Amino acid sequence: LTVGALRRAEIIAVGSELLGADRTDTNSLVITQGLNDLGIDVVAKAIVGDRFDDLAGVFRDALGRADLVILTGGLGPTDDDVTRDAVARVVGRTLHEDAATVDGLRQRFANRGLAMPESNRRQALVIDGAALVSNGQGTAPGQWFEWDGRVVVLLPGPPREMRPMFEYIAREVVAPRTAGEQVIRRSLRLVGKSESLFDEMLQPLYRKWAAGRPVIEPTILAASGMIELQLHASTRELREAEDALAAAAEDVAAILELDVISQSGRPLESVLGDLLRSRRLRLGVAESCTGGLVTSRLTDVPGSSDYVERGVVAYSNRAKTELLGVPEELIAAHGAVSEAVAVAMAEGIRRMSGLDVGLAVTGIAGPGGGTEAKPVGTVAIAVEGPDRARFARLFRFTGSRDMIKIFASTTALDCLRRTILRA
Amino acid sequence: LTVGALRRAEIIAVGSELLGADRTDTNSLVITQGLNDLGIDVVAKAIVGDRFDDLAGVFRDALGRADLVILTGGLGPTDDDVTRDAVARVVGRTLHEDAATVDGLRQRFANRGLAMPESNRRQALVIDGAALVSNGQGTAPGQWFEWDGRVVVLLPGPPREMRPMFEYIAREVVAPRTAGEQVIRRSLRLVGKSESLFDEMLQPLYRKWAAGRPVIEPTILAASGMIELQLHASTRELREAEDALAAAAEDVAAILELDVISQSGRPLESVLGDLLRSRRLRLGVAESCTGGLVTSRLTDVPGSSDYVERGVVAYSNRAKTELLGVPEELIAAHGAVSEAVAVAMAEGIRRMSGLDVGLAVTGIAGPGGGTEAKPVGTVAIAVEGPDRARFARLFRFTGSRDMIKIFASTTALDCLRRTILRA
């Protein structure tokens, strides 16, 4: 049997130590990147311990789903190292000892003035029909073979050994067996509506993309009040696909307008920073419930001192009055969490500092402090400037204290962005 | 069929985005820890995309190996979210809509002044015979059921939602179905020295614990400038083990003294908050390079308005002078990043606001702005008060911009804690 174009890969990391609570498998990330670059999808990944039956089961299942299976780990000299045996059993082949590999192992030990423990001969066992992959950094060679229209690859676990051997496999074994297609991706950041509402609004585009050429597939994800829309296309024509993705991003922007933060995956903080810098706007931030998080996020961006002039966390009413000039009577009349007070805070930071733009947030992060009229999660946001532009609105967020802080800060940054764009 | 003692678990993370080259699955680490604590081995983990057939296959295989299968992700409202359907198909059950969940979803949208998109009803689909697990942080409920001598659990993917729901499952569903020995843990938070130095100082205790009964095993971990020392003991005698861990924690405190933030795992922000509250101290924070992060971390703690009165992010020199009364000449003579300016900032926020304690941070977060004398990562921290207590020191941190912000904020909070404890 010969192997057709490889499309679907599965990666199996072998080793009980990888199943600990403080370990992550990084080999699979390197392999994923290399395979994606060749247009191959990784459809699943697994981590399995050193038990023969468990590994044999996971490998058998992977063969049922994928046409390329890459295993890392379990090629060492000890009884724990069962990858060779388990793979051989599942594909119904036997193992033989490779004489040249045994000689090489003996030589390695001799070079250090040692006799090779006989257990090391296990590392020279090769699955019948498999080709060896030499290991420049360690003792265990890798191996690969074709089986029933699929390709199976065994590599050692230590990343330093695995990496150059995978590069060899990608170049010499996988690349010649691909359909010649690559996967191109583009990431859009959205804000202002729920994941499901965006999804609904984009349905007509999804249908158009599915019928187009190249087909563009969307994935939509939500995290901390931000939505990410990933578009990807498999192609042989790199330039054509890039143009198609750019056009698709424009299609999204035409429907969602200002809800699109960026068509390039750049985060809100950076996009807003560029906007402030390019318009030469100097910003002051007045925060209450977010406690400094808005200013901290703005200053996560290198060079943000170009546009962030100051921030004030007016956590007490006294601080709102003293630092921002918010009249005590205004707080008494409307409450500290109100559009009126947010506007006064934004005006205060802008006027008292002689800045171009003032941004203010005041709210109830909870878990205490809520009332029937203003429950936990009630947040007022105001923007004053640039020039005569202004914005004020009362929002209602739900979740824990830290989620409300995150939602409120994201929304505040987004309100500022929209106000500047509309000015 | 009823379920016997659970011993072997498999964890499946669902979501095509988790198969990217730059994503790691952290949910499985939290789950592994929780299951190990209950004496359950994780025999394999898998990550699989949103394709129905792939997920159904991976889940079917897991049922063949494990008696507890926990799936995370794929419970959202979109067509991509196939976990409920795939699991139901494999176990041969149907789905029904849970009316109370639909009402809850509608209410959530109504609270934000929105109509619920109909697609959200998907999130209310429950596998026949499954019990729901409520989601305090998001919209998708979890569910679990017994099937053919096994337990199957479906949880949402976002870690913030997943974590408390898994804790519920561990306590209410898994723990009652285990064979008996439990792992008891106690977590100590340390700060002020390196992981390896703490490790060296604690060697005599490690030896004592290894020889004791129950044996206490330590694990030391570093994250973002904080060190966590985890102590654990396997036992059937819960009370005895808890007493032994409490005594071990006291042993650590006797050696490390003020470097122990808490013996109970409580974070620095909370411990410091209690200290400020119990001594009735009102705090003002003056930040530059940390950009509001110190104040934001302090206000992550519910009730922090009891002691955080205000914060000022004096990002520009003008703001340092105007808001904190730092003399221009002082900045010119010493530079904005200097002990002298940090002291003036701390004095300024304390005096101008009539507060008990002032905390100040000024530094160079990078990547630009460093000089030979003051490279990126140079940070001055000062504390003024309570009463005549004062502290000032220049630190040097290394890492990326956000790591320097985190190190500087952690160190600032810790300097404040020590200054108050010594006052």
Side-chain angles (χ1 to χ4, degrees), chain A residues 142-290:
Chain A
Q143 36 192 302
W144 73 273
F145 59 91
E146 296 190 352
W147 180 83
D148 194 18
R150 298 170 182 78
V151 169
V152 177
V153 181
L154 287 69
L155 297 175
R160 205 165 47 90
E161 302 177 27
M162 190 286 300
R163 196 181 281 244
M165 295 166 78
F166 169 70
E167 281 166 13
Y168 167 87
I169 289 288
R171 190 177 61 241
E172 302 295 331
V173 178
V174 180
R177 289 171 177 80
T178 59
E181 289 200 342
Q182 291 196 336
V183 179
I184 312 288
R185 283 168 210 281
R186 195 175 178 116
S187 165
L188 285 81
R189 301 282 180 121
L190 314 178
V191 73
K193 298 187 175 67
S194 73
E195 181 187 3
S196 53
L197 189 50
F198 279 130
D199 209 43
E200 206 166 285
M201 294 172 76
L202 294 172
Q203 288 296 335
L205 287 184
Y206 292 175
R207 284 190 287 274
K208 174 178 158 188
W209 296 338
R213 219 189 113 66
V215 169
I216 293 171
E217 289 181 84
T219 312
I220 195 160
L221 306 164
S224 306
M226 301 273 295
I227 312 284
E228 187 178 354
L229 176 68
Q230 287 182 359
L231 308 179
H232 40 106
S234 299
T235 184
R236 287 169 193 269
E237 305 292 335
L238 213 63
R239 181 61 188 280
E240 181 198 77
E242 275 166 1
D243 290 349
L245 286 181
E250 287 297 334
D251 286 350
V252 173
I255 291 179
L256 301 183
E257 301 179 342
L258 284 189
D259 292 344
V260 178
I261 295 170
S262 77
Q263 297 186 22
S264 60
R266 297 192 69 215
L268 177 54
E269 293 85 342
S270 299
V271 169
L272 178 55
D274 286 352
L275 196 58
L276 287 160
R277 184 185 284 108
S278 70
R279 305 209 178 182
R280 298 174 190 277
L281 298 173
R282 302 273 288 164
L283 171 70
V285 183
E287 305 183 54
S288 180
C289 66
T290 42

Side-chain angles (χ1 to χ4, degrees), chain A residues 336-353:
Chain A
V337 178
S338 59
E339 279 185 48
V341 167
V343 168
M345 289 169 67
E347 276 176 358
I349 190 96
R350 184 191 188 197
R351 189 187 63 242
M352 294 174 84
S353 322

